[in-house]
Every structure is written in C-alpha cells, then in structure tokens.
C-alpha cells in the first residue's frame, strides 16, 4: 500500500515538498495553521520573491555542515521552477520570478496539488509514535501516516505564527539558542529625524575595534538605529561577537582619506555652509556638518529589534538531530525541513533556497524509500 505523508506547515519548504510528492502521485496531506498558505513566500523580496542566488557558497550560511552543503548544491531552483511553468530572471546573482510577483511562485507550487489535501486553519498539536508510523493530532482531527515532515518555519516577522518549535520541543529534539537575524540594529547615537533616509556607503562591523565584516550597499536610517540590506547582513554576525560592538559608516567609500580631506576642504572654501549638501541627502547633510570623520562615523550597537521585525531566526532544531536526509535519528519517518532547522543565510535568496532545497530533498527521500 502507498505510504501517506503529513506535512506540517504550508510555507516554502512544505509546499515544495508537497508539490514534488504530488507530482509522483504520493498520498499527501498538508496541515496549515493559518487561513493562508505561503505567507512568507508572498512577503519575500518585497513581494517579488528573491528565490535563490547563483553564488551559493556556504560562506553565506551559518553552517558548513557537508550534508547541508550537498542539499543546497544539489537543488537548482531555476530549473525546478522552469519545469513547473515559471520563468525566472536574474539581477546580478539574485534570482526572481520573471513576473516580478511572489504569487507566481506560490501558485506554481500549488498547481500540482490535485490529489493533495491542503487543510488550512488546522494546527498540528502533537505527533504520537505508533507501532507503524505516526498519529498527528490537530485542531481539526487526527491523521494517521507513515511519514511526517515538520516544516513549521520560525517566528521571525510573526507571519508564520510564534509556536513554530512546539512540536519539536514536545518530541524532545534539541533546539539551539535562537536569535533574530536579518534584523535592524539599535544604535547610539540614533537619528530619529533621519528616519527613512537612505545612503549608499560601506558599513563596517567592529568587535572591540577589530573589523569583523564589511558590507557595501544601502543603509537606511530608522527610528532607533540603522537598517537596510547591508546592516541586516551584519546583524547575522552579532550572536558570534561578544565585545564592544560598533558599526562604522564610510559615507565616502569611493574616495581615499586624503582625497576626502582635499575634497571637503575645497568644497568648504567654495560653497561655505552648503559644502555637504551637494554630496548627500539634504537632511543627512545637516546632521553631518557636526561629524568629524565622514569615512568612519561610529555607532555603538545597543541591541537589535526583536524577532517580530526580523526576516529569519538564527538557530533552530540542531543538525545533530537529523541524518543526511534530514530524517530524525530518534524518530525514523519524521523529517525536518526549512527554517525550523538550525540553518540560516544572508539576504539575497539564501533562506528560500534552503527551504526549497530541503523540501525537495525530503520528498525525494520519501519517494525512494516508498519504492
Ligand atoms: C518579510 C520577509 C521577507 C523575506 N524575503 C526573503 C527573500 O527575498 N529571499 C529569501 O531567500 N528569504 C526571504 N525571507 C525568509 C524566507 O521567507 C523564509 O526563510 C522561508 O519562507 C522559510 O520557509 P519555511 O518553509 O521554512 O517556513 P515558512 O515559509 O515560514 O512556513 C512555515 C509554515 O508553517 C505553518 N505552521 C507553523 N506551525 C504550525 C503548526 N503547528 N501546524 C500547522 N501549521 C504550522 C506556518 O503558519 C507557516 O505557514 C523573508 C522573510 C520575511 C519575513
């Protein structure tokens, strides 16, 4: 008899896993606690869904676990979505759906769902081991199955709820320490008056005055600190640094220090008080008049915004709990997919790539075992 798989969570990893199982006519039931599947897919990339990145080096992830590296590298997001009807476009190394719309991705995954029972507003409450297989208890009844895929995501942004680790905790699986990642940083000083102002610059993270990492791109001033993609990338490193943490902004990164001195001196003579306004955003220029070194404006890091403002969580189910197929070593037949695992990456498509790749890998494993 054909095996039945219950997937818990209709996000990126759960939907792709379900899509692949459904393509091979497997019996699949997906339980989704909210009234709308794929909410993070829809929100991703500002509604454009940055699906993946062509530069998949493990440097951009929190782990160099060889099993995870293989799963990431074995999956080609572009080919997969082409094959289910989605054309993609590449901007630099970033991959998007050609439609520029996240909805295209969610719909393409769900188009293959003829025989999948997708049950929304159905929260899985408990997974009970049976002699053969598992029983998943939910708010809408009990489901007997051979395999369970836990694809419950993380509480980052709250778009996927905040009970994401309840099932794995209940099973006694180890969950590593959790931190909000890809999140705005709170600083001192902060410039609430500059809220919404963007500046192209180099942002350097210092731990006890030692350079940890540099990112070049756009920084966005926020109410209590700094935001923008390069600040969010730096936020991923904070949990590893334990000294006095600072961000230094180089607002004139295209000029050397001596060039800056000459440039500013000349401009001051020529334009007087206006000397910074021809270079920077008007509001920013007014603040910068009181700043000594425009190539290294220091901000003390006093914290981050909490998980409700983060794009992902750093931490999750420990990789010690799973084998190379993401199957729990303590519970054969239970698989863990996507962000609920202790795998997270930079901005730029890395997190969706892992969610899709892990869902695909699990589907392939279940299908090969069922043969
Ligand atoms: C605003 C925002 C923008 C982002 N942009 C990008 C981007 O452009 N590129 C990128 O790579 N990444 C991006 N990310 C990160 C990316 O969206 C996530 O890492 C990815 O969606 C994780 O997929 P997942 O399948 O693991 O979990 P999710 O997509 O979060 O899905 C988990 C699902 O499980 C459901 N669930 C949880 N518990 C239960 C339960 N007990 N019973 C039933 N259902 C349950 C949740 O409701 C949810 O639908 C972004 C994240 C946010 C918040």
């Amino acid at each position: 008899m054909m095996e039945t798989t219950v997937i818990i969570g209709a996000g990126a990893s759960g939907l792709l896993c379900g899509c692949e199982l459904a393509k091979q006519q497997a019996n699949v039931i997906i339980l989704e606690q909210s009234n709308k599947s794929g909410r993070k897919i829809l929100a991703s990339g500002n509604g454009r869904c940055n699906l993946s990145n062509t530069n998949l080096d493990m440097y951009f992830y929190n782990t160099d676990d060889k099993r995870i590296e293989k799963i990431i590298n074995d999956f080609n997001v572009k080919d997969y979505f082409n094959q289910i009807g989605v054309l993609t476009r590449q901007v630099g190394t970033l991959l998007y759906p050609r439609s520029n719309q996240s909805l295209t991705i969610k719909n393409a995954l769900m188009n293959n769902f003829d025989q999948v029972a997708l049950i929304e507003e159905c929260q899985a409450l408990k997974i009970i081991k049976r002699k053969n297989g598992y029983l998943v208890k939910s708010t809408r009844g009990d489901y007997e199955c051979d395999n369970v895929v836990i694809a419950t995501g993380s509480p980052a942004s709250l778009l996927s709820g905040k009970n994401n680790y309840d099932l794995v905790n209940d099973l006694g699986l180890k969950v590593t320490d959790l931190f909000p990642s890809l999140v705005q940083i709170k600083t001192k000083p902060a410039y609430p008056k500059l809220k919404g102002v963007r500046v192209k610059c180099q942002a350097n993270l210092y731990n006890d005055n030692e350079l940890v990492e540099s990112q070049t791109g756009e920084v966005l001033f926020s109410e209590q600190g700094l935001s923008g993609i390069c600040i969010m990338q730096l936020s991923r490193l904070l949990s590893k640094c334990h000294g006095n943490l600072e961000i230094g902004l180089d607002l004139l990164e295209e000029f050397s220090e001596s060039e800056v001195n000459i440039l500013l001196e000349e401009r001051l003579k020529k334009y007087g008080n206006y000397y910074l306004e021809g270079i920077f955003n008007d509001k920013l220029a007014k603040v910068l008049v009181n700043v000594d070194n425009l190539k290294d404006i220091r901000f003390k890091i006093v914290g981050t915004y909490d998980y409700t403002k983060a794009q992902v969580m750093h931490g999750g189910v420990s990789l010690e709990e799973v084998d190379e197929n993401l199957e729990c070593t303590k519970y054969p037949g239970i698989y863990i997919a996507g962000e609920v695992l202790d795998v997270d990456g930079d901005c730029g498509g890395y997190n969706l790539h892992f969610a899709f790749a892990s869902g695909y890998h699990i589907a392939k494993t279940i299908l090969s075992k069922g043969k």
Side-chain angles (χ1 to χ4, degrees):
M1 220 175 72
M2 199 185 278
E3 293 200 339
T4 298
T5 300
V6 169
I7 299 175
I8 305 173
S13 58
L15 287 176
L16 196 137
C17 186
C19 175
E20 192 54 27
L21 288 170
K23 271 170 47 194
Q24 311 299 328
Q25 318 292 321
N27 288 331
V28 191
I29 300 164
I30 306 185
L31 310 181
E32 168 53 48
Q33 65 185 4
S34 76
N35 60 2
K36 194 173 178 186
S37 302
R39 287 175 87 187
K40 278 195 189 170
I41 297 179
L42 295 177
S44 66
N46 283 327
R48 294 183 305 156
C49 194
N50 178 196
L51 290 178
S52 179
N53 197 301
T54 52
N55 183 6
L56 284 174
D57 197 294
M58 290 310 280
Y59 172 79
F60 301 107
Y61 286 95
N62 67 321
T63 173
D64 53 8
D65 187 300
K66 291 290 165 215
R67 301 165 303 167
I68 301 298
E69 182 171 11
K70 185 164 176 0
I71 289 169
I72 286 172
N73 286 322
D74 281 355
F75 186 64
N76 187 317
V77 171
K78 181 177 174 193
D79 288 354
Y80 191 85
F81 280 97
N82 281 350
Q83 187 219 105
I84 61 169
V86 177
L87 292 189
T88 52
R89 76 191 169 92
Q90 206 176 309
V91 181
T93 60
L94 310 177
L95 196 72
Y96 293 92
R98 190 179 182 285
S99 64
N100 232 355
Q101 210 187 6
S102 302
L103 186 62
T104 309
I105 297 301
K106 176 183 157 181
N107 286 348
L109 291 171
M110 292 174 61
N111 271 343
N112 286 287
F113 271 10
D114 280 352
Q115 74 282 25
V116 172
L118 170 59
I119 307 171
E120 293 182 331
E121 294 185 86
C122 175
Q123 185 184 356
L125 300 170
K126 199 171 178 62
I127 302 168
I128 298 169
K129 176 129 190 57
R130 286 286 175 91
K131 196 161 167 230
N132 292 313
Y134 293 93
L135 180 77
V136 178
K137 288 189 148 307
S138 82
T139 48
R140 297 180 72 168
D142 296 349
Y143 298 90
E144 300 264 5
C145 58
D146 304 282
N147 307 299
V148 181
V149 180
I150 301 179
T152 49
S154 84
S157 83
L158 288 181
L159 283 171
S160 298
K162 58 178 176 181
N163 58 331
N164 316 72
Y165 308 104
D166 285 3
L167 294 169
V168 291
N169 282 332
D170 190 57
L171 289 168
L173 301 180
K174 180 177 164 194
V175 175
T176 61
D177 290 344
L178 297 159
F179 301 95
S181 187
L182 303 184
V183 66
Q184 303 177 25
I185 293 179
K186 292 183 183 173
T187 63
K188 262 193 180 140
Y191 294 101
K193 282 192 184 145
L194 293 182
K195 187 178 165 191
V197 170
R198 292 169 190 274
V199 60
K200 168 111 182 27
C201 64
Q202 181 175 307
N204 301 314
L205 173 65
Y206 295 97
N207 186 20
D208 284 337
N209 229 2
E210 247 179 58
L211 182 65
V212 179
E213 169 96 359
S214 293
Q215 290 280 337
T216 303
E218 208 172 58
V219 165
L220 173 67
F221 287 87
S222 66
E223 185 85 30
Q224 296 179 57
L226 299 169
S227 179
I229 288 191
C230 43
I231 296 296
M232 304 233 274
Q233 307 282 44
L234 295 179
S235 73
R236 283 193 59 226
L237 304 168
L238 297 182
S239 60
K240 293 187 198 131
C241 304
H242 303 289
N244 175 33
L245 296 177
E246 290 177 299
I247 286 179
L249 294 187
D250 179 351
L251 297 185
L252 291 165
E253 32 108 23
E254 68 272 48
F255 299 101
S256 70
E257 215 138 306
S258 54
E259 284 171 339
V260 167
N261 290 339
I262 296 168
L263 177 82
L264 294 183
E265 228 166 85
E266 280 177 355
R267 289 185 62 88
L268 190 58
K269 274 189 208 144
K270 221 165 160 187
Y271 305 113
N273 285 347
Y274 177 75
Y275 83 115
L276 290 178
E277 290 181 28
I279 312 179
F280 297 107
N281 166 290
D282 168 59
K283 282 187 191 165
L284 182 60
K286 291 194 169 75
V287 169
L288 294 180
V289 174
N290 302 315
V291 167
D292 286 341
N293 185 357
L294 297 185
K295 282 191 72 65
D296 190 14
I297 310 180
R298 291 290 177 112
F299 296 80
K300 187 174 167 50
I301 296 177
V302 292
T304 65
Y305 283 64
D306 71 8
Y307 69 94
T308 63
K309 300 279 188 292
Q311 282 200 3
V312 293
M313 290 306 281
H314 177 76
V317 175
S318 166
L319 297 178
E320 293 163 14
E321 297 284 7
V322 291
D323 68 9
E324 71 280 8
N325 293 320
L326 305 181
E327 186 170 9
C328 289
T329 42
K330 288 180 196 144
Y331 299 99
I334 297 187
Y335 299 82
I336 318 274
E339 208 189 307
V340 70
L341 269 173
D342 179 15
V343 177
D344 67 277
D346 266 13
C347 290
Y350 293 101
N351 291 296
L352 278 175
H353 182 98
F354 177 69
F356 292 140
S358 57
Y360 180 78
H361 188 82
I362 291 170
K364 286 291 176 210
T365 304
I366 291 174
L367 290 166
S368 70
K369 286 193 177 169
K371 273 180 191 158

